[in-house]
Amino acid sequence: MFDIIRKSPANWQVPPNLLDYDALCRSFDWASARRAMAGLPGGGLNIAHEAVSRHVVEGRGGRIALRHLGRDGAVSEVSFAMLDEAASRFANVLESLGVARGEAVFSLSGRLPAFYSAAVGTLKRGAVFCPLFSAFGPEPIRARLEIGRGVCLVTTRMLFQCKVAPILDALPGLRVVLLIDGEAGDERGQVRALPRLMDAAAARYSAAATSPEDHALMHFTSGTTGKPKGAVLVHDAVVAQSATARYALDLHEGDIFWCTADPGWVTGMSYGVIAPLVCGVTSIVDEMEFDAERWYAIIENHKVAVWYTAPTAIRMLMKVGAEVAGKHDLRSLRFLASVGEPLNPEAVVWSQRTFGRPFHDNWWQTETGGIMIANFAALPVKPGSMGRPLPGIEAAIVERTPRGIRVVEQPDVDGELALKAGWPSMFRGYLGEDERYRKCFADGWYLTGDLARRDRDGYYWFVGRSDDVIKTAGHLVGPFEVESALMEHPAVAEAAVIGKPDEVAGNTIKAFVALKAGHEASPALERDLMAHARRRLGPAVAPREIAFRDNLPKTRSGKIMRRLLRARELGLPEGDISTLESDEKK
Ligand code: ATP
Ligand code: MG
C-alpha cells in the first residue's frame, strides 16, 4: 500500500554513522562499545564523566552543550565546561547536605538549565537520579517519592508551593528540598535555597568511583496500561544510550539536536540529556510546550539538524497542515526520528512530502533504557514498520508456553516481541516489585509485553500491546492496523480502537475518532468511514461502531490510553490515572 522510501547517497549532506547494517551487526559487541567510553581515571564508569567532564578533560569544554529557549524569549547557552562546573557544585551541595552515594535525588522542574546541572551533579555524586514530570499533581509526586525513597527533591518555588508543601508531612524520608530559584527567606525546615548553596560550594568535584552496575537512574513508566512502574537503570546504560544515539539518531559531534521529550520521561533523559552530551552535540532545550508555528521557527532559527519527537506531535503538525511548514526554511533538518507510539504510515509519507525526508520510527521502552529497534538513516524505510534491531540487540518474536517460551523462526507471524537479555541499558529491577521483574524474563529473554511481527527482510511491525489486542470472531486484531487504516481517511486526525465484549463474536471493535479541522461529525461521515474501513480491512476487522471525540485521552507523554476509553465505555473503574493529560487536549 505504501511505497518503500529508499535513500540515495547523493542526497547525504553527511554520511550516516551506520552505513552497512549487516556488517556492523556482525562485528558489533558491547565490550568494544564499552571500551569507547573514557572510563574514570581510577577505573569504573560514571555517566556524568562520560557525558560532560570527559569533554572538558579532552579540551572541548568551550563547546555548547545546551541552548536554552526560555519562556520570556531569552536564549542562553551553556558550554560543557559551564555544565561541568555547575554539576560539580551541585555534587558538593549534595555531599555537604549528607546525601550519600546510592541515595535517591528527585527532580520536579520544567526544562531549565538548573535541571541539567542537578541531573549530572547527582550522577557525579554517585547518587541515583529520578526526574518527575512537572505537571504531576501532589499525589503522584508523593507516591513516586515514597516508592523511590527520595531523600532530596530539586524543584522551583512555585512547584514547591503548589504541589510539594501539601505533601511534605507525609514524606518523612525526604530530608532536603532544594529550590532552584529559592532565596534566603524561603528557607524553613528542610527547604533550602539552591543558588546560595551553589555559590558557597567548591567548583570541582571528582566523580564518584561508580562501577558499571551501580544504580544511576530511576524512571517511572508512562502508565498507559496501568499503574506506572519504577524502572532502575545503571551507569552501564550510557554505553547503550550513546551507541544507539549514534546509530539510530545518527548524531554527529557538533550537530544541533532537538529531542522534544520532557526529561520527566525516559526519552527526555536518555536522549534529551545523556546521549547528546556524550556525543558532543548542542541540544535545544525549549521551556515551552507544543506549538506548531513556534516549533517550525525553532528548527529554522536554530538550524536543527536532528529532530527526535513523538507521533502525537507529528499528528498535531499534520492537523495544522503542511502549509504552516511551508512558510519556514527547514533545510537544516538532516534526520527525523519518532518514538513512543506506533507511527502511522500516513505520517511517514506526509513527512517525506512535507520535509523531503521521512520520520524514522524507533521502538523502545522505559525498561530497555535505550533504543532497541529503529529505522536507520542509510536504510530504506517501510512506512508503518519500526525498523530493525540495533547492532548488539537480538530481537525475536516468541510465543509463551507453559514451560517458558518458544522462538518463532518463520517470518510474518504475530507474537510477543522479546529481546535477548543482557544489553547495558536493560533495567535492573522494578522498584518494590521483584516478582513482577522476574516474570519479565524467560529462558534468557526479556519479554516486552508488546506484540509485533518480523517480515522477510528482518523489519519489525508493531501489532499492539498485548493488553490492547482484540480477539474478534476468531481473529486476533492489533489496534494499530485498524487505527492506521482509519488515519488514511482525509477527515481523520487521530483514532483509537478498543474491543467490547460480545456474546457472539467474543469482542466487537469500536473506534474513537478525532477529526481534522474543517470536518464535522455526522451520520454521513460515520457511514463513509465505516465503508472506508471495510474496504481497507475487510468486514471481520473493520470497526462495528465509530464514535467521534474532540480529543482522545492521552498520557502526559502523549500516548493514547485505550484502557481508559475501554473502562469508560464499559462502565469499569478507571484505574490509575496519575499520568493522564488532564485537559485531554494533546
Ligand atoms: P506502562 O508500561 O506504564 O503501561 P508505557 O509502556 O506506555 O506505560 P513507556 O515505557 O514510556 O511506558 O512506553 C513504552 C511503550 O510504548 C512500548 O512498550 C510500546 O508499547 C510503546 N512504543 C514505544 N515506541 C513505539 C513505537 N515506535 N511503535 C509502537 N509502540 C511504541
Ligand atoms: Mg510499558
Side-chain angles (χ1 to χ4, degrees):
M1 180 80 191
F2 290 92
D3 292 338
I4 297 180
I5 300 171
R6 296 184 191 282
K7 315 292 179 58
S8 159
N11 297 335
W12 290 338
Q13 298 148 338
V14 181
N17 289 324
L18 185 152
L19 283 168
D20 186 337
Y21 175 80
D22 294 314
L24 188 68
C25 285
R26 278 194 302 274
S27 63
F28 186 92
D29 67 84
W30 288 115
S32 325
R34 201 169 284 117
R35 280 196 294 277
M37 300 285 111
L40 290 169
L45 184 71
N46 186 295
I47 296 177
H49 185 78
E50 302 304 323
V52 184
S53 313
R54 174 186 194 170
H55 296 293
V56 180
V57 173
E58 294 176 6
R60 295 184 295 274
R63 298 207 182 156
I64 301 305
L66 311 171
R67 190 178 295 162
H68 177 252
L69 317 181
R71 283 192 188 278
D72 53 0
V75 178
S76 55
E77 291 191 328
V78 179
S79 68
F80 281 91
M82 288 157 72
L83 182 56
D84 197 39
E85 182 185 321
S88 288
R89 287 182 189 273
F90 189 83
N92 277 313
V93 168
L94 291 181
E95 192 168 322
S96 69
L97 294 170
V99 175
R101 267 183 68 167
E103 287 193 312
V105 175
F106 278 61
S107 75
L108 178 76
S109 92
R111 293 180 285 267
L112 301 170
F115 161 80
Y116 291 77
S117 31
V120 179
T122 300
L123 296 167
K124 254 193 182 192
R125 172 72 191 116
V128 182
F129 189 67
C130 181
L132 296 180
F133 189 57
S134 60
F136 281 150
E139 177 48 30
I141 296 169
R142 191 205 57 76
R144 284 161 178 75
L145 277 161
E146 186 177 281
I147 298 169
R149 300 199 185 143
V151 301
C152 174
L153 173 69
V154 186
T155 187
T156 63
R157 283 166 101 178
M158 165 97 118
L159 290 168
F160 175 75
Q161 280 309 331
C162 307
K163 303 181 174 194
V164 185
I167 53 171
L168 213 48
D169 287 346
L171 290 166
L174 185 61
R175 303 198 301 266
V176 196
V177 177
L178 297 171
L179 300 183
I180 289 170
D181 49 354
E183 292 166 7
D186 298 317
E187 301 205 334
R188 202 164 297 120
Q190 73 264 60
V191 181
R192 309 294 298 272
L194 183 59
R196 256 162 38 90
L197 296 168
M198 291 284 277
D199 286 345
R204 294 177 74 88
Y205 192 91
S206 301
T210 43
S211 75
E213 282 303 310
D214 282 345
H215 292 182
L217 298 153
M218 298 187 295
H219 289 295
F220 286 86
T221 60
S222 291
T224 315
T225 54
K227 190 168 179 285
K229 298 148 277 190
V232 179
L233 305 183
V234 295
H235 280 274
D236 209 28
V238 68
V239 175
Q241 290 164 343
S242 51
T244 52
R246 290 202 175 93
Y247 296 138
L249 301 180
D250 199 39
L251 288 190
H252 288 65
E253 203 170 315
D255 275 344
I256 306 285
F257 171 57
W258 187 21
C259 169
T260 65
D262 191 276
W265 308 113
V266 71
T267 307
M269 192 67 203
S270 300
Y271 297 101
V273 182
I274 300 171
L277 289 173
V278 178
C279 294
V281 309
T282 299
S283 282
I284 299 294
V285 178
D286 178 30
E287 215 184 308
M288 307 241 271
E289 299 310 320
F290 176 86
D291 175 273
E293 276 280 1
R294 215 175 44 79
W295 273 31
Y296 287 135
I298 289 175
I299 294 169
E300 180 173 13
N301 297 339
H302 296 280
K303 305 216 168 359
V304 173
V306 181
W307 184 25
Y308 193 24
T309 190
T312 344
I314 300 168
R315 287 194 295 260
M316 286 195 279
L317 294 172
M318 291 168 73
K319 212 166 165 180
V320 299
E323 314 74 57
V324 183
K327 287 192 270 170
H328 296 269
D329 178 356
L330 305 174
R331 282 174 300 176
S332 61
L333 285 174
R334 190 184 78 229
F335 189 74
L336 286 64
S338 164
V339 71
E341 272 205 306
L343 185 64
N344 311 90
E346 194 66 24
V348 179
V349 172
W350 179 84
S351 156
Q352 176 72 29
R353 241 188 353 252
T354 309
F355 306 116
R357 8 184 75 67
F359 264 102
H360 294 74
D361 188 20
N362 58 55
W363 176 96
W364 59 291
Q365 309 175 305
T366 309
E367 291 87 340
T368 68
I371 302 170
M372 297 285 109
I373 295 181
N375 284 287
F376 300 94
L379 267 58
V381 170
K382 299 189 185 189
S385 161
M386 342 193 255
R388 302 169 77 180
L390 266 287
I393 299 300
E394 192 179 340
I397 298 298
V398 306
E399 213 181 67
R400 297 198 190 211
T401 66
R403 267 168 286 108
I405 55 146
R406 189 180 74 80
V407 173
V408 180
E409 300 290 351
Q410 61 276 40
D412 300 324
V413 177
D414 291 1
E416 186 165 0
L417 176 61
L419 305 164
K420 197 52 151 312
W423 68 96
S425 62
M426 190 179 87
F427 71 137
R428 301 297 200 271
Y430 279 134
L431 294 170
E433 295 187 272
D434 292 345
E435 179 60 19
R436 183 174 206 164
Y437 179 71
R438 271 194 297 278
K439 281 198 176 141
C440 293
F441 297 87
D443 301 342
W445 292 85
Y446 164 63
L447 306 171
T448 67
D450 282 348
L451 301 187
R453 107 181 122 249
R454 185 186 60 246
D455 71 14
R456 273 159 218 284
D457 300 323
Y459 281 67
Y460 281 78
W461 299 74
F462 185 76
V463 173
R465 293 159 179 277
S466 40
D467 292 14
D468 291 337
V469 169
I470 304 161
K471 287 198 188 86
T472 176
H475 300 267
L476 208 58
V477 178
F480 180 48
E481 183 187 3
V482 182
E483 291 160 8
S484 288
L486 289 168
M487 288 278 295
E488 287 166 24
H489 190 283
V492 176
E494 276 191 319
V497 306
I498 60 160
K500 281 177 70 173
D502 177 85
E503 273 182 21
V504 182
N507 283 283
T508 58
I509 297 178
K510 173 161 184 175
F512 295 85
V513 165
L515 297 175
K516 285 188 188 148
H519 295 271
E520 290 285 326
S522 69
L525 180 57
E526 189 180 332
R527 280 194 300 277
D528 194 44
L529 268 174
M530 293 274 207
H532 163 82
R534 245 178 259 131
R535 251 190 332 270
R536 282 284 289 109
L537 300 161
V541 177
R544 188 80 61 82
E545 266 181 90
I546 294 182
F548 295 102
R549 293 278 186 276
D550 290 343
N551 297 293
L552 301 177
K554 302 212 182 74
T555 65
R556 293 189 185 279
S557 53
K559 296 167 198 267
I560 297 175
M561 286 172 106
R562 293 175 190 80
R563 71 166 160 108
L564 202 56
L565 286 168
R566 191 161 186 277
R568 288 174 180 173
E569 180 71 21
L570 305 180
L572 300 171
E574 293 195 345
D576 184 297
I577 50 163
S578 61
T579 60
L580 176 68
E581 176 77 52
S582 54
D583 57 9
E584 298 190 5
K585 287 264 160 53
K586 293 199 172 158

